Amino acid sequence: MEIEKAEPTEAEIAAAAAKRAKAETIGRYVAMFFMPLIMVGMMISGYLGTMHAPAPNNMPIAIVASSTQADAFATAVEAATPDAVDLQMVDSEAAARELVMNREVTAAVSIVDGKATVITASAAGSTQASTVTAVLAPQVLAQGMTFESEDLVPLPKKDAAGLGAMFMATALVMAGYLPFSMTLSNSPELLRFRRAVPLLAGWSALVAGLIWLVTGPILGMIDGSNAAGVLGIAWLGVFAIGSVQLLLTRFLGPMAVIVGMFLLMVLGIPASNMSFSVYTMPSFFTVLHGFLPTPAIGEALRSLLYFQDGDVWSHLLVLIIGAVVALVLTLFVDISRRRRNPDHTGPKATVPSLHGGPRPKTKFWRYFSLLMFPLVMVGMMISIMLGAMHSPMPKDMPVTIVGATVEQAQQAVDGLEKNMPGMFDLLATDSADEARTQVQDRTATAAFILPSAEAPTATLVTNQAAGTSAQMVVKGIFGQVAAGQQLEMQTEELAPLHDNDTMGTVSMYLTMGWILSGFMIIIVGANAQPKSRPLKMLLPIVAGWSVFMSAVLYLIAGPFTGSVDGDFWPLFGVGIVAIFCVAMFSAAIERLIGMFAILPVVGLLIMLGVPSSGGALSVFMEPEIFRTLHDIMPMAAGVESVRSILYFGGDVVGHHLLTFAIWGAVSLVAMVIIDAIKPPRTESHPIDDDVVEAVAVATEPVKELASV
């Protein structure tokens, strides 16, 4: 006897609906916090963990076995730096040079008649050449030999820092992984295999053309003879990465972007051998260098632009294999799913529009938005970042010249300005103490103290913690000045970098974590949980998030990666203020243009913020506009605050907190005005899933035939 199941009562139905609504609300809030936490956490952990203090690690070096002196030198180097080098003996200098040219070794050493020549190729990585030279030079001098250096492949004048290939590779990687996750959320019908592949091919061609346009005709970094090669590498790089992302979306949906960022940015950038030598990273990055797409694109561009050799194909093969395997697997997955479930119509759209309003009525505007979003991001990366830093030369860099009298100092200033016009803004003084104070408080990059009867040696006073790029420039140029005048010169360092911050980049990466935390909680929250948008909900959420993420980022910088020792409370406090104020600015822009807020927020705070911060390169080595931006941008305020806390006793933190406060207060007032005119949306706009309906209608006859 069957017992009929009682129909649920209205109260039970209402209770079940309330339970589902509660679970959905909790899930949305979890997503609102989880996504930014994972993305910010993995990026900052990856960058700080690998690049806060890069050190030589089994750098391959060739020694020409020409004499017993060479054998003794090799033995001394291995004894002094056993983990830093991986030495190999070669029979001839010609063989050693070939190894350097092929980038199989980082340097070669040829010893003849007590003279050791260190042979490098700065085009293979300027930091790599300087690092390996710094390892070998002291050992050469310790053996009583004369030191000489030779650069087989110097960097071209149009790309003196070797940043061209690096920024091009980064922009291409972004173009490959960025579009598909957003397309999946907004217009998933475009990711069907037959549509996605030709669309990806066209997108790759568009990005390749944009990269060539900016780096060639606009910036003049690429010669016409390399245009075809750059276009080909760029197209293949975007297509290969996009193919892998297409496969990942089949399994992970919108979360594929996290896996893409992890493989391509968190692991790919340290393994790329572009910004830092891969032989200064942990050992497993040398393995990743051989098969990740980021190193493949970067090394292919480097081979083409700097070495003009055939090695480009070994790197292109990585991309070709990756693209073919990814597309074949994607097609296999689609066929398998269609066989298991012929009625499956694919994922549904979850983001109605990118501009924050109702879903566009026509597909043209929806697809146009999907095109412009990543295209503008790539354009900003390659034009602003590379345009600012591709030719780093000092321009009006402030340096104080100290003489026994002001007249003597002014005479030296006049001579230097005649020989180096426009490079330095020179100030004459007769007080060495005043000059040191100017260097200490960062109003002067360096001070050059002329020799006198009491001190016959010239002294260059520098401030490494204020920026390594500026310090290296003044040491190099004023060293040449002293040598030209046949003067001995000693260097006096007022604020050397800590052992756990040897490149001075900790301040930039920590600030980047604050900036990303502030804007991502707004962008993700507005879509994952629209109920968080009203100010009465948003302010306590952002306040709590700011406290939480400031603590998390300190834990990453301190105990987890060892990039920072101590200074918890000041860094924690500045982090809270920075995250909160950036979030307010992001929320004000999001009120106006929805997810498109990512473009102006990232453009202002990251793309313009990094060059203007002085964290990666001195603002006196960039276009003049970035000196003006340095005084008003949040990124610069964060970098200078962290530097001040870590190295200068927090001397200028108050000034930079005021910068954050102005951004936050103005943004908050703007939000109040915007909300008064148009109350914030608290529910997602409806999505008319006409695509799914059309597929269902089209397959109805098939269903009827199958049932018969």
Side-chain angles (χ1 to χ4, degrees):
M1 179 178 176
E2 292 187 11
I3 300 176
E4 291 187 5
K5 207 170 186 179
E7 292 292 330
T9 65
E10 291 185 5
E12 291 173 335
I13 294 175
K19 185 176 181 180
R20 286 195 302 271
K22 182 179 180 180
E24 181 181 354
T25 299
I26 294 173
R28 286 179 174 273
Y29 276 113
V30 169
M32 177 180 177
F33 296 115
F34 177 76
M35 285 281 286
L37 175 63
I38 293 299
M39 295 179 79
V40 175
M42 73 177 184
M43 286 192 69
I44 304 306
S45 296
Y47 291 165
L48 278 179
T50 57
M51 294 186 281
H52 70 282
N57 182 17
N58 291 320
M59 300 189 88
I61 299 171
I63 308 289
V64 180
S66 56
S67 63
T68 56
Q69 197 172 18
D71 295 333
F73 175 74
T75 302
V77 171
E78 285 188 327
T81 56
D83 299 325
V85 298
D86 179 15
L87 301 183
Q88 54 180 292
M89 307 300 289
V90 296
D91 295 332
S92 66
E93 185 174 321
R97 289 173 177 272
E98 185 176 357
L99 290 174
V100 173
M101 287 292 295
N102 294 337
R103 282 96 76 204
E104 295 178 41
V105 297
T106 59
V109 181
S110 175
I111 301 174
V112 178
D113 298 330
K115 181 180 72 176
T117 302
V118 176
I119 305 167
T120 60
S122 59
S126 58
T127 59
Q128 176 172 281
S130 60
T131 299
V132 72
T133 301
V135 171
L136 295 172
Q139 302 305 318
V140 169
L141 299 176
Q143 295 294 310
M145 294 184 288
T146 303
F147 173 83
E148 286 193 3
S149 62
E150 181 181 352
D151 191 350
L152 290 184
V153 189
L155 286 162
K157 292 182 179 180
K158 295 178 181 179
D159 188 14
L163 297 176
M166 185 189 78
F167 278 117
M168 290 167 67
T170 305
L172 293 170
V173 165
M174 181 188 297
Y177 80 80
L178 191 61
F180 275 159
S181 291
M182 190 162 292
T183 302
L184 180 66
S185 300
N186 181 259
S187 300
E189 70 275 10
L190 296 179
L191 295 190
R192 294 173 193 157
F193 191 85
R194 290 183 179 180
R195 285 189 180 183
V197 174
L199 285 174
L200 177 59
W203 165 248
S204 302
L206 180 63
V207 171
L210 176 63
I211 296 293
W212 172 82
L213 177 66
V214 174
T215 57
I218 295 177
L219 296 180
M221 296 179 58
I222 297 176
D223 296 329
S225 59
N226 291 326
V230 170
L231 288 169
I233 294 170
W235 183 90
L236 180 60
V238 177
F239 187 83
I241 292 174
S243 300
V244 175
Q245 282 300 114
L246 182 65
L247 174 64
L248 292 176
T249 58
R250 296 299 197 258
F251 297 101
L252 302 174
M255 298 292 286
V257 69
I258 293 181
V259 177
M261 288 178 64
F262 178 73
L263 293 174
L264 300 168
M265 303 298 289
V266 177
L267 296 180
I269 294 298
S272 69
N273 198 37
M274 302 306 289
S275 56
F276 295 107
S277 171
V278 71
Y279 296 108
T280 61
M281 301 288 109
S283 297
F284 73 94
F285 282 101
T286 57
V287 178
L288 298 179
H289 180 78
F291 65 86
L292 284 181
T294 307
I297 295 172
E299 293 290 6
L301 288 169
R302 175 180 279 162
S303 295
L304 175 70
L305 297 177
Y306 308 142
F307 288 88
Q308 289 83 40
D309 60 22
D311 186 54
V312 65
W313 284 105
S314 65
H315 304 295
L316 295 184
L317 189 61
V318 173
L319 301 174
I320 294 171
I321 293 173
V324 171
V325 171
L327 292 178
V328 169
L329 289 177
T330 302
L331 187 59
F332 174 77
V333 169
D334 289 353
I335 293 173
S336 300
R337 288 179 176 175
R338 200 156 41 240
R339 286 179 176 175
R340 289 197 304 267
N341 183 9
D343 299 333
H344 181 64
T345 58
K348 296 182 179 181
T350 58
V351 176
S353 68
L354 302 185
H355 58 77
R359 192 167 178 82
K361 294 181 180 180
T362 63
K363 291 181 179 180
F364 172 81
W365 291 113
R366 181 152 44 100
Y367 296 164
F368 182 74
S369 299
L370 286 172
L371 171 67
M372 292 307 298
F373 183 89
L375 188 64
V376 173
M377 287 285 285
V378 173
M380 289 192 299
M381 164 65 74
I382 197 66
S383 59
I384 298 176
M385 298 281 279
L386 183 56
M389 296 189 279
H390 78 282
S391 182
M393 292 294 293
K395 303 175 187 69
D396 297 324
M397 184 176 286
V399 174
T400 302
I401 305 298
V402 183
T405 64
V406 174
E407 289 74 16
Q408 181 197 17
Q410 186 61 50
Q411 185 178 5
V413 166
D414 294 339
L416 291 170
E417 288 180 340
K418 182 178 180 180
N419 294 322
M420 299 182 294
M423 294 178 64
F424 295 98
D425 180 11
L426 302 173
L427 173 68
T429 182
D430 60 354
S431 172
D433 291 338
E434 178 185 349
R436 288 186 176 90
T437 300
Q438 292 171 350
V439 176
Q440 178 71 23
D441 63 20
R442 284 89 80 201
T443 56
T445 302
F448 187 65
I449 304 176
L450 298 171
S452 63
E454 295 79 13
T457 301
T459 302
L460 180 67
V461 182
T462 60
N463 188 337
Q464 189 182 35
T468 55
S469 58
Q471 186 235 23
M472 292 172 63
V473 164
V474 294
K475 283 183 68 175
I477 292 178
F478 280 90
Q480 294 175 6
V481 169
Q485 298 295 320
Q486 297 182 344
L487 298 174
E488 290 188 21
M489 188 186 81
Q490 63 182 8
T491 301
E492 179 183 334
E493 182 56 61
L494 296 184
L497 290 167
H498 299 160
D499 291 340
N500 55 357
D501 183 24
T502 55
M503 302 302 294
T505 53
V506 167
S507 58
M508 183 180 69
Y509 290 132
L510 184 55
T511 302
M512 193 175 293
W514 294 340
I515 300 291
L516 292 173
S517 298
F519 101 83
M520 288 195 67
I521 188 64
I522 298 300
I523 299 301
V524 175
N527 292 277
Q529 180 52 288
K531 289 185 173 65
S532 67
R533 297 178 79 237
L535 275 177
K536 66 179 181 180
M537 290 289 293
L538 186 66
L539 290 177
I541 287 174
V542 171
W545 170 257
S546 301
V547 173
F548 172 71
M549 280 306 295
S550 185
V552 167
L553 289 169
Y554 181 85
L555 288 175
I556 292 172
F560 293 170
T561 65
S563 308
V564 171
D565 290 326
D567 295 308
F568 169 74
W569 288 112
L571 291 174
F572 177 60
V574 173
I576 293 172
V577 174
I579 295 169
F580 184 87
C581 294
V582 168
M584 291 299 99
F585 171 70
S586 304
I589 304 298
E590 191 278 331
R591 289 284 203 273
L592 299 174
I593 54 176
M595 285 187 68
F596 271 126
I598 295 175
L599 298 178
V601 171
V602 170
L604 284 171
L605 303 185
I606 302 295
M607 302 299 183
L608 287 173
V610 169
S612 65
S613 71
L617 188 68
S618 170
V619 292
F620 295 104
M621 299 169 69
E622 299 170 344
E624 190 173 353
I625 181 64
F626 291 101
R627 283 177 243 169
T628 303
L629 294 176
H630 182 79
D631 296 328
I632 60 176
M633 296 296 284
M635 187 77 180
V639 168
E640 294 295 352
S641 294
V642 177
R643 278 179 178 167
S644 178
I645 291 168
L646 295 181
Y647 295 102
F648 304 107
D651 56 351
V652 296
V653 170
H655 170 77
H656 296 296
L657 285 178
L658 182 61
T659 300
F660 281 121
I662 292 172
W663 279 76
V666 171
S667 301
L668 187 56
V669 170
M671 272 195 290
V672 171
I673 296 173
I674 294 169
D675 290 356
I677 299 172
K678 182 182 178 182
R681 169 181 54 85
T682 58
E683 298 290 341
S684 297
H685 288 289
I687 300 175
D688 296 326
D689 207 347
D690 50 353
V691 175
V692 176
E693 289 179 4
V695 173
V697 170
T699 56
E700 191 62 35
V702 180
K703 294 179 185 176
E704 292 181 2
L705 181 62
S707 65
V708 172

